[in-house]
């Protein structure tokens, strides 16, 4: 029953992520508590609305949350994850000696499927699994795998991200932001196996050619594990990835689903070392994430701001018989996250319309836009469309065309030239006639 419920919740979360493909809009409400983490981002996945952010675009080391991108690259480069077997090289895992790495315990010469290695990568946060996968995909060159990580980040639109390794150990050239990490994770959630793997608190690695018994790997995420989580445990949380080292502090990417609402929280650089250089055992990133979820579920609510077909404004209309204005309506319904005590009518709708439109116009034709904002923060921009089809009056159109021709600069200039030529002609004709009359008088005088 528990597994069934987990699968259903995971499916619902995945659907929310896939359906919500619009750019992230921002509401960014205030919280009534102080965070331990230097950077944080909380996004409602149902509407892609940022409901809280703190230093969300500040470059920071992501530690093992890096492995979300490692998962993406490995799963997309290895076509048959369950059928591809990879042998663990001694030269690869030896590179982690002395680094204080979190390990999944894979052994030299051990044969594991790519899918098993992905579980080793994400559940116990195995740096060894990260290196084995990167070496395999890179054809023996881990640097090539890292290049693929950076290419993928760029493809996803990450603006402040650069990876230097597949595991997240300290490197000055290894950084991302809370906002970029959200983009990366949201994409990862659309990939096969990702949400199933990252929602696990335990993974049983089957017996292998080097280990005769199954091994149980335990999550590093206290937020999701009731047995090791203690006060950090949050029953509505799912996954996704922890991370920590001295320079990065404690980091966590997670999601939570409750009462039909889904959120993703990113918490980066909660202190791991205090000002005196002593280790901090309090997991600030876990506390922050749990508090953010509780605040969101208790304080915020999805509300429909505008329904599809709702009248939003009108615009002057030309060339229509007995009609000089066109009614505009919202193209689609729009819902957003608002504080529970705030009415949807508190959202300001500001139309941005052309000075006028010309018939013919088809019903549903995009004519303008409207900006939706709340508390001086822009939420989104929606399309405004024609509420009806309007045919063009050819009589009015022809009359207007004639008017434009008659009043055009070129027409007036040509008309002026013609008038001037006529005047010149008349003057010349008059002078000519006078001259002819004088000549007749002279001839008549001579004949006498």
């Amino acid at each position: 029953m528990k597994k069934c419920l987990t699968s259903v919740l995971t499916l619902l979360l995945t659907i929310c992520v896939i359906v919500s493909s619009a750019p992230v809009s921002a509401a960014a409400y205030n919280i009534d508590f102080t965070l331990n983490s230097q950077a944080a981002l909380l996004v409602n996945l149902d509407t892609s609305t940022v409901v809280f952010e703190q230093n969300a675009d500040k470059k920071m080391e992501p530690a093992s949350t890096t492995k979300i991108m490692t998962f993406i690259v490995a799963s997309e480069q290895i076509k048959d994850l369950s059928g591809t077997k990879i042998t663990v090289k001694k030269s690869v895992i030896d590179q982690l000696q002395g680094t204080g790495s979190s390990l999944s315990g894979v052994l030299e010469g051990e044969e594991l499927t790519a899918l098993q290695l992905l579980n080793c990568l994400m559940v116990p946060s195995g740096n060894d699994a990260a290196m084995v996968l990167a070496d395999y995909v890179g054809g023996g060159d881990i640097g090539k795998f890292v290049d693929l990580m950076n290419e993928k980040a760029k493809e996803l639109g990450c603006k402040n991200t650069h990876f230097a390794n597949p595991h997240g150990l300290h490197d000055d050239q290894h950084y991302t932001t809370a906002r970029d990490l959200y983009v990366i994770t949201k994409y990862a959630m659309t990939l096969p196996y990702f949400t199933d793997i990252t929602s696990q608190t335990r993974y049983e690695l089957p017996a292998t050619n080097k280990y005769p018994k199954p091994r149980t790997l335990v999550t590093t995420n206290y937020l999701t594990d009731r047995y090791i989580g203690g006060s950090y445990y949050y029953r509505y949380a799912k996954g996704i990835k922890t991370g920590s080292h001295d320079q990065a502090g404690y980091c966590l990417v997670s999601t939570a689903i409750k009462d039909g609402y889904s959120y993703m929280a990113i918490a980066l650089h909660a202190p791991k070392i205090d000002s005196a250089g002593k280790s901090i055992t309090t997991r600030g990133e876990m506390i922050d994430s749990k508090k953010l979820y509780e605040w969101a579920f208790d304080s915020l609510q999805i509300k429909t701001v505008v329904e599809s077909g709702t009248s939003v404004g009108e615009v002057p209309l030309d060339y229509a018989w007995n009609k000089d204005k066109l009614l505009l309506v919202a193209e689609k319904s729009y819902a957003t996250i608002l504080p529970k005590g705030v009415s949807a009518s508190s959202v300001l709708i500001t139309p941005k319309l052309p000075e006028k439109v010309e018939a013919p116009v088809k019903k549903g034709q995009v004519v303008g836009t409207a900006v939706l904002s709340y508390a001086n923060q822009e939420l989104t921009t929606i399309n405004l469309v024609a509420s009806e089809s309007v045919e063009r009056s050819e009589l009015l159109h022809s009359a207007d065309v004639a008017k434009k021709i008659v009043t055009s600069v070129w027409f007036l200039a040509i008309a002026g030239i013609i008038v001037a030529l006529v005047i010149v002609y008349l003057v010349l004709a008059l002078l000519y006639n006078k001259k002819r009359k004088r000549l007749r008088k002279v001839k008549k005088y001579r004949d006498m």
Side-chain angles (χ1 to χ4, degrees), residues 256-269:
I257 304 174
K258 180 183 178 184
D259 297 334
Y261 288 80
S262 56
Y263 286 90
M264 182 189 297
I266 316 287
L268 301 178
H269 211 300

Side-chain angles (χ1 to χ4, degrees), residues 310-343:
T310 301
S311 174
V312 179
E314 57 184 17
V315 65
L317 177 65
D318 285 350
Y319 309 145
W321 192 259
N322 289 332
K323 195 174 188 65
D324 59 1
K325 291 186 181 296
L326 178 67
L327 182 66
L328 302 180
V329 298
E331 181 182 34
K332 298 177 181 178
S333 296
Y334 175 76
T336 191
I337 292 290
L338 291 171
K340 287 184 177 179
V342 172
S343 169

Side-chain angles (χ1 to χ4, degrees), residues 161-183:
T161 294
H162 185 268
F163 296 109
N165 58 61
H167 40 62
L169 290 176
H170 169 63
D171 190 298
D172 289 337
Q173 296 305 310
H174 192 89
Y175 54 82
T176 188
T177 66
R179 200 179 310 278
D180 281 358
L181 200 47
Y182 160 75
V183 172

Side-chain angles (χ1 to χ4, degrees), residues 158-217:
C158 298
K159 298 178 180 179
N160 297 293
T161 294
H162 185 268
F163 296 109
N165 58 61
H167 40 62
L169 290 176
H170 169 63
D171 190 298
D172 289 337
Q173 296 305 310
H174 192 89
Y175 54 82
T176 188
T177 66
R179 200 179 310 278
D180 281 358
L181 200 47
Y182 160 75
V183 172
I184 291 168
T185 306
K186 187 176 179 183
Y187 176 79
M189 292 173 72
T190 67
L191 300 178
Y193 303 111
F194 183 81
T195 54
D196 289 335
I197 290 175
T198 58
S199 294
Q200 298 174 112
T201 58
R202 302 288 186 276
Y203 170 68
E204 187 173 280
L205 183 63
T208 67
N209 62 316
K210 290 291 183 177
Y211 206 90
K213 297 180 180 180
R215 286 165 281 178
T216 300
L217 305 181

Side-chain angles (χ1 to χ4, degrees), residues 66-234:
T66 296
K67 291 169 182 147
I68 299 170
M69 179 60 84
T70 304
F71 183 103
I72 291 172
V73 174
S75 65
E76 290 189 334
Q77 293 295 317
I78 303 171
K79 301 307 178 184
D80 183 5
L81 294 174
S82 59
T84 300
K85 286 196 172 183
I86 301 172
T87 301
V88 178
K89 298 179 184 176
K90 181 178 185 299
S91 59
V92 172
I93 56 177
D94 280 353
Q95 294 179 47
L96 295 174
Q97 288 186 2
T99 63
S101 289
S102 58
L103 302 172
S104 64
V106 296
L107 305 172
E108 173 192 344
E110 192 167 22
E111 292 181 357
L112 300 165
T113 67
L115 187 58
Q116 289 171 337
L117 283 167
L118 288 175
N119 279 274
C120 293
L121 174 78
M122 302 304 286
V123 178
S125 194
N127 286 4
D128 45 5
M131 292 289 282
V132 172
L133 285 165
D135 177 77
Y136 176 81
V137 172
D141 185 348
I142 292 174
K144 288 183 179 179
F145 183 89
V146 175
D147 289 341
L148 292 174
M149 295 172 69
N150 287 314
E151 288 173 14
K152 192 65 182 183
K154 185 177 180 180
E155 177 188 319
L156 293 175
C158 298
K159 298 178 180 179
N160 297 293
T161 294
H162 185 268
F163 296 109
N165 58 61
H167 40 62
L169 290 176
H170 169 63
D171 190 298
D172 289 337
Q173 296 305 310
H174 192 89
Y175 54 82
T176 188
T177 66
R179 200 179 310 278
D180 281 358
L181 200 47
Y182 160 75
V183 172
I184 291 168
T185 306
K186 187 176 179 183
Y187 176 79
M189 292 173 72
T190 67
L191 300 178
Y193 303 111
F194 183 81
T195 54
D196 289 335
I197 290 175
T198 58
S199 294
Q200 298 174 112
T201 58
R202 302 288 186 276
Y203 170 68
E204 187 173 280
L205 183 63
T208 67
N209 62 316
K210 290 291 183 177
Y211 206 90
K213 297 180 180 180
R215 286 165 281 178
T216 300
L217 305 181
V218 180
T219 184
T220 55
N221 190 350
Y222 297 160
L223 198 68
T224 61
D225 193 326
R226 68 169 66 244
Y227 301 105
I228 64 173
S231 61
Y232 300 122
Y233 173 68
Y234 185 60

